[in-house]
Amino acid sequence: DTAVSQTPKYLVTQMGNDKSIKCEQNLGHDTMYWYKQDSKKFLKIMFSYNNKELIINETVPNRFSPKSPDKAHLNLHINSLELGDSAVYFCASSLRQGYNQPQHFGDGTRLSIL
Amino acid sequence: GIQVEQSPPDLILQEGANSTLRCNFSDSVNNLQWFHQNPWGQLINLFYIPSGTKQNGRLSATTVATERYSLLYISSSQTTDSGVYFCASSGAGSYQLTFGKGTKLSVIP
């Protein structure tokens, strides 16, 4: 029973392409997140959604567009991929916004741009 | 925003040894979490501990919010404890986690 699942696990693609990463959680949580982990292992939040509404949008290029069709899903679409987008992208969820709760992470998607 | 600093950056232990990892934060916090990233890259939430002490098996954590630090204790370390340990926190009025740079732990047999 995977709590937070991301697909694909690995994504290798050419510069300039458009790609999507999917995330689903079966924990019944209201809040979901996208994080980026760079080559030095530094983790930084990109977006947060609460019950399908965007609540955090860090300084991220507008080539990155999150979409939440329902509160159990938060997908990340990336247009015109660049070399600097190579990283591991993690999806996470927590119970609800406005309450500090443990965050639970997916296994990550390793994106490599050729 | 809040600053989160972890020490040491790297730690090598003999199997069976104990260790203490430290996390300092720059402001009052309402949220403090410890994570373990294993060698396969998975991030596991170890503790949600904005204050006080918690224990889970060989691991325990203590946060002294008034002095702006948290400690993660690992006792009788095992090779499976290897990986990177992250501390993350959010300041008062924020729900956005800021991560430290991590402590890379290597436990050798």
Side-chain angles (χ1 to χ4, degrees):
Chain A
D1 283 351
T2 305
V4 182
S5 59
Q6 299 179 225
T7 53
K9 191 173 176 65
Y10 300 96
L11 188 51
V12 182
T13 189
Q14 302 272 1
M15 207 163 50
N17 284 350
D18 303 338
K19 290 293 178 186
S20 292
I21 307 171
K22 295 186 176 182
C23 179
E24 175 181 5
Q25 53 93 4
N26 63 4
L27 296 167
H29 288 171
D30 284 350
T31 308
M32 296 183 71
Y33 312 83
W34 278 109
Y35 287 86
K36 179 180 180 180
Q37 186 173 43
D38 63 22
S39 58
K40 295 183 179 178
K41 299 279 193 184
F42 185 61
L43 272 156
K44 187 167 167 44
I45 190 162
M46 301 172 70
F47 302 102
S48 173
Y49 268 70
N50 184 64
N51 208 3
K52 302 193 299 176
E53 290 189 22
L54 180 66
I55 54 172
I56 293 174
N57 182 356
E58 284 299 293
T59 308
V60 176
N62 57 16
R63 299 182 295 102
F64 290 78
S65 53
K67 286 187 171 52
S68 182
D70 56 60
K71 72 175 192 177
H73 295 84
L74 180 61
N75 304 322
L76 183 65
H77 188 76
I78 316 169
N79 289 328
S80 303
L81 282 157
E82 299 178 357
L83 289 175
D85 298 332
S86 294
V88 181
Y89 292 85
F90 284 96
C91 177
S93 73
S94 63
L95 188 57
R96 62 179 62 92
Q97 190 262 345
Y99 296 84
N100 283 302
Q101 300 283 344
Q103 289 190 16
H104 299 274
F105 281 71
D107 287 348
T109 295
R110 183 174 294 277
L111 174 62
S112 300
I113 310 300
L114 303 177
Chain B
I2 193 166
Q3 307 295 316
V4 180
E5 292 185 0
Q6 293 185 242
S7 59
D10 294 278
L11 185 58
I12 300 174
L13 292 178
Q14 201 77 40
E15 199 169 22
N18 302 328
S19 64
T20 301
L21 281 57
R22 187 175 180 102
C23 173
N24 292 333
F25 35 91
S26 61
D27 206 348
S28 304
V29 298
N30 55 18
N31 188 350
L32 193 294
Q33 302 187 33
W34 283 96
F35 296 86
H36 175 220
Q37 186 165 36
N38 64 25
W40 296 271
Q42 295 170 316
L43 268 166
I44 309 298
N45 193 305
L46 298 175
F47 293 103
Y48 168 72
I49 185 164
S51 64
T53 297
K54 288 186 178 179
Q55 181 152 8
N56 184 1
R58 296 180 297 102
L59 272 59
S60 64
T62 295
T63 297
V64 184
T66 52
E67 296 187 23
R68 301 183 183 173
Y69 73 88
S70 183
L71 302 174
L72 178 69
Y73 304 96
I74 304 174
S75 64
S76 305
S77 57
Q78 300 175 359
T79 56
T80 52
D81 296 330
S82 296
V84 182
Y85 289 80
F86 290 101
C87 167
S89 179
S90 56
S94 169
Y95 304 103
Q96 178 179 322
L97 278 184
T98 297
F99 279 75
K101 293 184 177 179
T103 292
K104 183 178 180 182
L105 175 65
S106 301
V107 181
I108 53 178

